[in-house]
Amino acid sequence: MRQGKYEPYKRIFRFFEILINLGILGGSFGVFWYKFLNPLAPKPFTGSGNYLQIAVYFVVIYIMVKIIGGFEVGFYTP
């Protein structure tokens, strides 16, 4: 089977696509966390607690999207 001339670059493109998607999802959660959720807590997180909360969200969202195949945008074509 003959590969197209852009075939070697698809893997790199998909990697950066995943980074951008996670950045948008995680960044929006981070803003929402700092502005709305953290101040509502009886004892708000300070310092590295905020970073840990956002990192846990990154890991959970990565696992969930990976399980349902959400990173394969444009991968399956009819």
Side-chain angles (χ1 to χ4, degrees), residues 35-78:
K35 296 267 185 194
F36 301 110
L37 294 178
N38 195 28
L40 291 177
K43 288 178 71 177
F45 287 98
T46 58
S48 60
N50 288 319
Y51 300 133
L52 179 65
Q53 192 74 12
I54 295 169
V56 166
Y57 180 77
F58 266 101
V59 170
V60 169
I61 201 70
Y62 176 78
I63 291 170
M64 295 303 293
V65 172
K66 187 77 170 171
I67 287 173
I68 63 170
F71 291 133
E72 296 168 359
V73 175
F75 186 66
Y76 299 111
T77 57

